[in-house]
């Protein structure tokens, strides 16, 4: 069997050359990392759940006209995505205070923000993904003003879609991070949602109990991460009931 070419290995995913030009195979690993990889573990089944959940969210976004890199799921751990040039920014949208905004500005976790707040971090592990302003982004040429307008619009549309989807199943979308890619169609370039959307990159709290159903369960040692992600998948109807407790692991 021909060996495929690995393009990149990150903390949670591996990217392989895809079967057709302009495509990439995105493989979801079970590795969990936090605090810039200072805390690490392997969580059986996490990759399977994130593959399915990211498929679910990206498919929904594609259907409402928010362009994403997602083409189709290939198997339990892999999906075919469109190759794109990743803009070196983490785009964070916050609806409630938590995590770094709470620390930075002294706002109690769970406080509703007056409106969604969009923040940008420069993607650089060695620097710990520092918060940057639009001034930095423009000055260093990471994105143009037109890109920034498009990124803001994409981020807010993803927020509306994800907030509604979660609210419908009793979950509060506290905040999330997305990454944006650039694709070229002939002479034109456009921006699409890339990477993944999963409980690894969102904060999700049960509306009734406040129970955390996201990666904070791992970051803060709050119990079983796969139980939390399975609960999100179960509520959204993403995995059949019988598969929820123990996802079938196919490598
Ligand atoms: P915070 O800035 O409070 O740490 O994170 C805000 C939101 O963005 C959280 O939902 C968090 O999970 C997500 N986020 C921030 N940085 C990263 C990152 O490097 N990787 C992932 N997967 N999510 C991130």
């Amino acid at each position: 069997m021909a060996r495929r070419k690995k393009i990149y290995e990150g903390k949670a995913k591996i990217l392989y050359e895809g079967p057709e030009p302009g495509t990439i195979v995105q493989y979801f690993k079970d590795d969990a990392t936090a605090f810039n990889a200072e805390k690490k573990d392997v969580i059986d089944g996490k990759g399977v759940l994130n593959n399915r959940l990211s498929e679910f969210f990206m498919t929904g976004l594609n259907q409402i006209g928010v362009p994403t890199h997602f083409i189709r799921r290939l198997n339990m751990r892999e999906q075919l995505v469109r190759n794109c040039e990743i803009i070196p920014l983490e785009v964070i949208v916050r609806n409630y205070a938590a995590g770094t905004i709470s620390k930075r500005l002294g706002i109690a976790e769970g406080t509703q923000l007056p409106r969604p707040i969009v923040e940008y971090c420069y993607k650089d592990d060695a620097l710990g993904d520092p918060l940057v302003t639009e001034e930095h982004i423009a000055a260093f040429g990471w994105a143009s003003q037109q890109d920034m307008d498009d990124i803001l619009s994409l981020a807010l549309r993803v927020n509306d879609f994800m907030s509604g989807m979660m609210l419908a199943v009793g979950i509060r979308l506290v905040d999330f991070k997305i990454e944006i890619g650039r694709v070229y169609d002939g002479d034109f370039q456009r921006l699409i949602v890339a990477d993944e959307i999963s409980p690894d990159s969102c904060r999700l709290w049960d509306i009734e109990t406040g129970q955390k159903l996201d990666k904070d369960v791992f970051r803060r040692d709050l119990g079983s991460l796969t139980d939390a992600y399975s609960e999100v998948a179960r509520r959204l109807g993403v995995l059949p009931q019988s598969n929820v407790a123990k996802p079938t692991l196919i490598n």
Side-chain angles (χ1 to χ4, degrees):
M1 204 160 74
R3 205 180 160 82
R4 44 186 190 175
K5 190 170 160 205
K6 191 193 277 189
I7 299 171
Y8 174 79
E9 177 155 5
K11 286 176 280 195
K13 295 186 293 296
I14 305 175
L15 303 181
Y16 296 98
E17 210 165 66
E20 299 125 39
T23 64
I24 282 189
V25 173
Q26 186 166 258
Y27 175 98
F28 287 76
K29 302 197 283 185
D30 279 342
D31 300 21
T33 62
F35 313 118
N36 209 7
E38 273 170 39
K39 182 176 164 111
K40 285 186 207 171
D41 206 348
V42 176
I43 315 268
D44 251 9
K46 180 177 86 88
V48 173
L49 286 157
N50 280 349
N51 186 27
R52 295 300 289 254
L53 283 162
S54 200
E55 171 194 16
F56 180 77
F57 298 129
M58 296 273 185
T59 304
L61 286 167
N62 283 340
Q63 281 167 352
I64 61 161
V66 177
T68 80
H69 71 162
F70 183 82
I71 301 172
R72 66 175 181 276
R73 187 168 57 81
L74 298 171
N75 55 49
M76 293 297 273
R77 284 185 184 276
E78 295 178 332
Q79 47 185 245
L80 189 68
V81 301
R82 196 162 167 187
N83 190 11
C84 56
E85 230 174 76
I86 294 285
I87 293 183
L89 296 173
E90 293 193 334
V91 181
I92 293 172
V93 183
R94 301 180 187 273
N95 299 306
Y96 293 81
T100 57
I101 198 173
S102 289
K103 276 207 196 95
R104 203 182 323 121
L105 302 181
I107 307 173
E109 288 216 322
T111 308
Q112 185 167 14
L113 299 169
R115 56 173 207 181
I117 293 178
V118 183
E119 296 176 345
Y120 306 99
C121 293
Y122 178 53
K123 258 172 72 70
D124 186 315
D125 281 341
L127 298 174
D129 301 334
L131 186 70
V132 290
T133 67
E134 292 198 41
E135 271 292 289
H136 297 110
I137 296 167
F140 295 118
W142 296 323
S144 68
Q145 188 53 56
Q146 178 64 57
D147 290 339
M148 291 312 291
D149 293 347
D150 294 347
I151 290 172
L152 181 64
S153 151
L154 282 173
L156 293 175
R157 290 173 77 194
V158 172
N159 188 42
D160 283 347
F161 171 78
M162 292 290 295
S163 297
M165 189 70 86
M166 291 301 171
L167 195 60
V169 295
I171 295 174
R172 172 164 297 150
L173 178 66
V174 172
D175 57 29
F176 66 90
K177 182 263 307 184
I178 50 171
E179 295 188 19
I180 304 290
R182 209 186 287 283
V183 289
Y184 298 92
D185 288 324
D187 288 345
F188 296 93
Q189 68 129 39
R190 60 196 183 91
L191 301 184
I192 61 177
V193 178
D195 190 51
E196 72 177 282
I197 302 179
S198 74
D200 264 11
S201 51
C202 302
R203 281 199 176 91
L204 305 169
W205 296 356
D206 181 88
I207 286 179
E208 295 284 310
T209 65
Q211 187 193 354
K212 293 181 181 16
L213 299 169
D214 57 63
K215 201 167 139 187
D216 275 349
V217 171
F218 171 71
R219 294 188 188 103
R220 303 181 188 188
D221 292 319
L222 299 175
S224 158
L225 194 70
T226 41
D227 282 358
Y229 289 19
S230 298
E231 176 61 13
V232 176
R234 186 193 64 77
R235 290 197 200 183
L236 292 167
V238 169
L239 288 179
Q241 198 72 38
S242 57
N243 279 354
V244 170
K246 282 214 175 304
T248 314
L249 304 180
I250 299 172
N251 283 300

